């Protein structure tokens, strides 16, 4: 699930060539976005919906910006920029949802959308088996800005190109490296939310995602090996590109891609695994993150990406992992891709445990999902990826809690007689209930009698979620903790 240019553009639907849009288009949309009186439009939408019979209504007026640069070796391949500005109105009538969105952010269009959303909800009510009930939310008026020091949209394109080409040059200077791709994505969300529950929030979020991929080729053997970057995308500004050691990692990636050509294949068998956070984040995402989504457990997600083996009655009872395993969800931690001030229901960001002392204890919930399991509060997991998308449950930042002791990577390796150390995410497969899985990685190192040995290749491990986490018998300390993440994910 590492970001690639082709996959990201396919999932986001944004494919355009360098210079496809003149600069005045961006400037015009920026003026339109700032000139709109969002509070006035909110009053109009909410009052119209209430007058027509809605028991609840909300409106999101959002502006999204995307900028990307992609390069290969010494060439710039693409430079792209896109903006999207619009609104979405969501209403409840007789316990059923109606939703209408539009890119025409005007008073007349907002009224029309509110009327149509009520009509849709009323039509849906005829088929609603169980009326929607929302968990309460506190009255709120707030503004929130993500943690960044340098807005990447204020940084010249030339500087970003120079950064990527320097990465390419550094990797290509390693003898044996044949190809290098690099790219940088910058995303900005400006989100306004208002509801009939007296909640009004404005948020400004910036995310940065550099990435590179190094390839070494052995023409004589007809073999090639890759090593992609390990730095995760972050909710951070351009300072991330300047402070993370990208050039050192590019050089290391070059050497490791060449070394993989000579590495011996792993012998099939049982091994102890020592998993770096650059690898472990994806295993957590797939086996823990998706399995603890309440909508999956209730069967709402079955059509697209499956359900969950964690059925509702297992909360507080099911042994998910060993006693040292604690997983927490957190929408407040700095640099997390899912970090916000408020979700798209207007619920404040918060932190909570999903697994405590090895026992599955709680879910990811929204205002709509929480009452279905007898809860009166939401954990704030509602999200929409666009003003034109219906909001629904999406994953928060999820982490394996590190040891309270000062345990280093060397300490973990020292306790292993026969094992494999894995860095980076690779291929993966997991079943429709998030139970049986297989994961690969970027680089693999043999562990023998407590010492790191030679590089391996062709490594993948298989297990079942509770068996895997139940076998966890060692944790790195706080200094080994790192938060990973992905800009795209299949759900809905």
């Amino acid at each position: 699930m590492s970001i690639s240019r082709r996959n990201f553009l396919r999932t986001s639907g944004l494919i355009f060539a360098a210079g496809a849009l003149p600069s005045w288009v961006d400037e015009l949309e920026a003026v339109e976005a700032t000139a709109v009186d969002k509070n006035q439009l909110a009053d109009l939408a909410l009052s119209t919906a209430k007058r027509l019979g809605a028991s609840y209504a909300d409106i999101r007026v959002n502006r999204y910006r995307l900028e990307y640069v992609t390069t290969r070796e010494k060439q710039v391949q693409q430079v792209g920029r896109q903006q999207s500005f619009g609104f979405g109105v969501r209403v409840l009538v007789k316990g059923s949802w109606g939703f209408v969105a539009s890119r025409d952010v005007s008073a007349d269009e907002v009224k029309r959308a509110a009327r149509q959303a009520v009509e849709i909800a009323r039509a849906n009510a005829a088929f609603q088996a169980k009326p929607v009930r929302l968990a309460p939310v506190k009255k709120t008026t707030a503004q929130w800005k993500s943690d960044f020091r340098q807005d990447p949209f204020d940084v010249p394109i030339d500087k970003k190109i120079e950064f990527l080409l320097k990465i390419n040059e550094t990797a290509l200077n390693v003898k044996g490296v044949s190809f290098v791709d690099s790219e940088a994505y910058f995303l900005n969300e400006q989100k306004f939310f208002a509801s009939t529950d007296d909640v009004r929030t404005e948020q400004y979020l910036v995310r940065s995602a550099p990435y590179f991929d190094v390839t070494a080729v052995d023409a004589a053997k007809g073999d090639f090996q890759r090593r992609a970057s390990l730095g995760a995308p972050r909710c951070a500004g351009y300072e991330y590109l300047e402070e993370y050691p990208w050039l050192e990692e590019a050089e290391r990636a070059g050497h490791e891609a060449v070394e993989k050509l000579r590495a011996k294949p792993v012998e099939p068998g049982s091994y102890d695994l020592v998993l770096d956070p650059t690898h472990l984040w994806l295993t957590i995402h797939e086996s823990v993150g998706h399995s603890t989504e309440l909508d999956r457990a209730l069967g709402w997600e079955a059509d697209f990406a499956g359900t969950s083996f964690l059925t509702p009655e297992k909360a507080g009872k099911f042994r998910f992992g060993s006693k040292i395993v604690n997983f927490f969800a957190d929408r407040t931690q700095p640099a997390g891709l899912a970090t916000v001030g408020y979700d798209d229901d207007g619920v404040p960001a918060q932190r909570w445990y999903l697994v405590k002392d090895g026992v599955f204890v709680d879910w990811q919930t929204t205002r709509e999902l929480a009452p279905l399991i007898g809860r009166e509060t939401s954990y704030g997991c509602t999200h929409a990826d666009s003003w034109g998308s219906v909001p629904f449950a999406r994953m928060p930042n999820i982490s394996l809690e590190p040891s309270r002791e000062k345990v280093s990577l060397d300490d973990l390796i020292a306790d292993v007689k026969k094992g494999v150390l894995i860095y980076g995410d690779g291929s993966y497969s997991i079943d429709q209930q998030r139970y049986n899985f297989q994961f690969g990685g970027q680089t693999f190192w043999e562990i023998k009698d407590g010492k790191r040995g030679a590089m391996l290749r062709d490594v993948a491990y298989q297990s079942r979620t509770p068996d895997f986490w139940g076998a966890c018998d060692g944790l790195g300390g706080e200094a080994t903790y790192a938060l990973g993440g992905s800009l795209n994910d299949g759900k809905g």
Side-chain angles (χ1 to χ4, degrees):
M1 190 171 288
S2 60
I3 181 171
S4 72
R5 176 176 59 87
R6 184 176 293 108
N7 287 339
F8 179 76
L9 295 179
R10 183 186 298 121
T11 55
S12 63
L14 304 175
I15 299 180
F16 41 94
L21 294 176
S23 61
W24 59 262
V25 173
D26 278 345
E27 294 167 2
L28 179 61
E29 290 197 359
V31 170
E32 290 174 345
T34 55
V36 166
D37 188 331
K38 294 183 283 288
N39 282 295
Q40 188 176 66
L41 292 177
D43 290 341
L44 188 59
L46 303 183
S47 61
T48 299
K50 291 288 283 186
R51 177 172 51 82
L52 295 174
S55 59
Y56 168 85
D58 63 41
I59 181 172
R60 289 176 294 113
V61 184
N62 296 354
R63 179 190 181 203
Y64 299 89
R65 301 162 71 195
L66 165 68
E67 183 179 85
Y68 72 86
V69 182
T70 69
T71 72
R72 178 170 178 175
E73 286 84 57
K74 298 181 180 181
Q75 297 181 338
V76 178
Q77 290 188 304
Q78 286 186 313
V79 176
R81 179 180 291 171
Q82 180 154 325
Q83 297 200 52
S84 174
F85 180 52
F87 73 92
V89 176
R90 186 175 61 154
V91 305
L92 272 178
V93 177
K94 297 181 179 180
S96 293
W97 286 115
F99 176 77
V100 172
S102 175
R103 66 187 310 153
D104 177 7
V105 188
S106 65
D108 287 343
E109 183 67 358
V110 164
K111 284 195 295 184
R112 184 203 67 79
R115 287 195 300 267
Q116 188 174 15
V118 170
E119 293 171 2
I120 291 171
R122 187 167 285 118
N124 287 338
F127 304 96
Q128 185 79 18
K130 186 175 182 179
V132 171
R133 183 171 74 86
L134 300 179
V137 64
K138 293 181 180 180
K139 291 176 57 176
T140 303
T141 301
Q143 292 184 330
W144 185 86
K145 197 173 187 179
S146 65
D147 187 17
F148 65 90
R149 295 193 302 279
Q150 189 174 10
D151 192 327
F153 292 88
D154 294 335
V155 177
I157 286 289
D158 287 351
K159 187 174 182 179
K160 297 164 183 171
I161 292 173
E162 181 182 356
F163 163 79
L164 294 176
L165 293 179
K166 187 64 176 177
I167 284 178
N168 297 357
E169 179 185 2
T170 301
L172 287 168
N173 283 338
V174 177
K175 185 178 179 180
V177 170
S178 304
F179 308 105
V180 186
D181 296 301
S182 64
E183 51 208 44
Y185 294 87
F186 305 99
L187 300 101
N188 171 228
E189 289 185 76
Q190 299 170 40
K191 307 172 70 171
F192 172 86
F193 173 87
S195 77
T196 52
D197 286 335
D198 292 324
V199 176
R200 296 208 177 192
T201 64
E202 283 200 77
Q203 303 185 81
Y204 191 102
L205 296 90
V206 167
R207 298 181 178 94
S208 298
Y211 176 81
F212 65 79
D213 194 333
V214 180
T215 303
V217 177
D218 185 335
K221 294 182 179 179
D223 188 17
F224 71 92
Q225 293 294 325
R226 298 171 49 245
R227 205 299 225 150
S229 55
L230 302 181
R234 290 183 181 177
C235 189
Y238 194 80
E239 66 275 1
Y240 180 35
L241 280 69
E242 298 177 328
E243 295 172 0
Y244 183 87
W246 294 103
L247 295 183
E248 290 89 337
E249 188 182 326
E251 182 178 5
R252 177 184 168 192
H255 287 292
E256 291 182 353
V258 173
E259 189 174 357
K260 284 173 77 173
L261 290 169
R262 303 187 297 267
K264 63 180 181 180
V266 67
E267 294 183 7
S270 296
Y271 294 82
D272 287 340
L273 300 177
V274 179
L275 305 177
D276 186 80
T278 58
H279 169 84
L280 191 58
W281 78 267
L282 184 56
T283 308
I284 293 172
H285 173 94
E286 297 294 346
S287 67
V288 183
H290 282 313
S291 69
T292 56
E293 292 172 319
L294 183 55
D295 57 342
R296 285 184 185 273
L298 295 173
W300 291 14
E301 179 62 14
D303 285 349
F304 187 85
T307 55
S308 172
F309 74 95
L310 289 175
T311 47
E313 74 279 0
K314 291 179 179 175
K317 303 174 185 176
F318 184 76
R319 173 60 64 180
F320 191 94
S322 66
K323 290 185 178 181
I324 66 171
V325 169
N326 295 280
F327 286 105
F328 64 91
D330 192 349
R331 301 206 74 183
T332 68
Q333 65 191 111
L337 289 180
T339 296
V340 295
Y342 300 85
D343 80 341
D344 285 344
D345 276 336
V347 176
Q350 50 204 285
R351 183 188 191 277
W352 69 101
Y353 280 102
L354 300 168
V355 175
K356 190 78 172 78
D357 300 327
V359 177
F360 165 59
V361 294
D362 219 337
W363 302 99
Q364 305 166 40
T365 61
T366 67
R367 290 189 68 192
E368 181 177 2
L369 291 172
L372 298 178
I373 54 170
R375 304 290 179 84
E376 290 302 319
T377 56
S378 163
Y379 281 128
C381 294
T382 302
H383 175 75
D385 63 358
S386 165
W387 51 263
S389 299
V390 175
F392 62 93
R394 295 307 301 258
M395 195 183 301
N397 306 307
I398 295 176
S399 299
L400 175 63
E401 194 169 63
S403 171
R404 295 178 182 178
E405 306 295 327
K406 291 185 178 180
V407 182
S408 68
L409 173 60
D410 288 341
D411 293 331
L412 291 175
I413 291 175
D415 198 36
V416 175
K417 291 186 177 181
K418 177 190 176 185
V420 180
L421 170 63
I422 304 179
Y423 290 91
D425 55 81
S427 62
Y428 70 98
S429 176
I430 192 163
D431 72 13
Q432 71 274 16
Q433 289 198 308
R434 304 289 150 171
Y435 191 67
N436 297 282
F437 61 67
Q438 174 177 301
F439 287 93
Q442 289 284 334
T443 58
F444 316 94
W445 307 87
E446 187 176 34
I447 302 175
K448 272 189 176 182
D449 299 323
K451 295 182 179 180
R452 170 173 155 169
M455 180 182 275
L456 299 170
R457 59 185 284 180
D458 304 329
V459 176
Y461 59 88
Q462 296 175 322
S463 190
R464 296 180 297 185
T465 296
D467 296 340
F468 180 81
W469 296 113
C472 181
D473 62 359
L475 296 171
E478 186 68 36
T480 70
Y481 174 86
L483 184 64
S486 173
L487 287 179
N488 52 76
D489 182 36
K491 191 179 179 192

